[in-house]
Amino acid sequence: MDTGVQKEKEYQRAAGIARRCALSVQQRTAFDAAIADRVLALPMFAAARTILSYCAVGGEVDPAAIDAAAFRLGKAVAYPLCLAEGHMEAALPAAADALAPGRYGIPAPIPGRCRLLVPEDVDLVLVPCAAFDASCRRVGAGYYDRYLARCGAFSLALAYEAQRVPQAAAQEHDVLLGAVASENRLYWKL
């Protein structure tokens, strides 16, 4: 492992989280709405039958409006379930109240009250991130990279422009995303 890249990744992760948390609640709410509008207009969203979303924590872009639109359109919305260190699966909750704080305190489907999906069942993955670059490289914690490596779904990070860096500190295992949606624009994989 290249310790220089790892240190840069840790710096970018901490700085990106700090920048998104520095946004006011009003800014994040407005930006979340703009990001949701971008996502809802995408053909990948329209075509998706099953979406892997997430519950926002720590100032992340909140995909709740996207999830609500998906539910209204009859799409299945799954959420990440972390089963072991670094291992994540998509789980479809049996009901809206079938989420509870899981690993790291992040709301997750309650085992026994959800159905695990095989990666092939997921059409669109909404990905949180700490930092990203215009080439659709993401700085995260690795759970999504491992999942996306097994999944053929279109991957779409949701992030604020404040989190963009000139070049994300990427390692061999980091998966290049299909696109990143920010409040200002869509970035497409080069």
Side-chain angles (χ1 to χ4, degrees), residues 77-124:
V77 180
Y79 296 93
L81 179 61
C82 296
L83 299 172
E85 188 61 40
H87 182 74
M88 179 181 101
E89 295 293 338
L92 194 59
D97 65 347
L99 298 174
R103 191 177 288 263
Y104 309 112
I106 299 170
I110 300 168
R113 297 188 62 201
C114 63
R115 179 171 55 93
L116 292 182
L117 302 177
V118 294
E120 296 81 21
D121 287 345
V122 177
D123 304 304
L124 175 64

Side-chain angles (χ1 to χ4, degrees), residues 32-33 35-36 40 45 53-56 60-72 77 79 126 158 160:
D32 289 351
I35 292 167
L40 297 178
F45 176 82
S53 188
Y54 63 91
C55 296
E60 292 172 332
V61 172
D62 190 348
I66 299 166
D67 297 353
F71 286 127
R72 283 193 305 276
V77 180
Y79 296 93
L126 302 179
L158 308 180
Y160 303 119

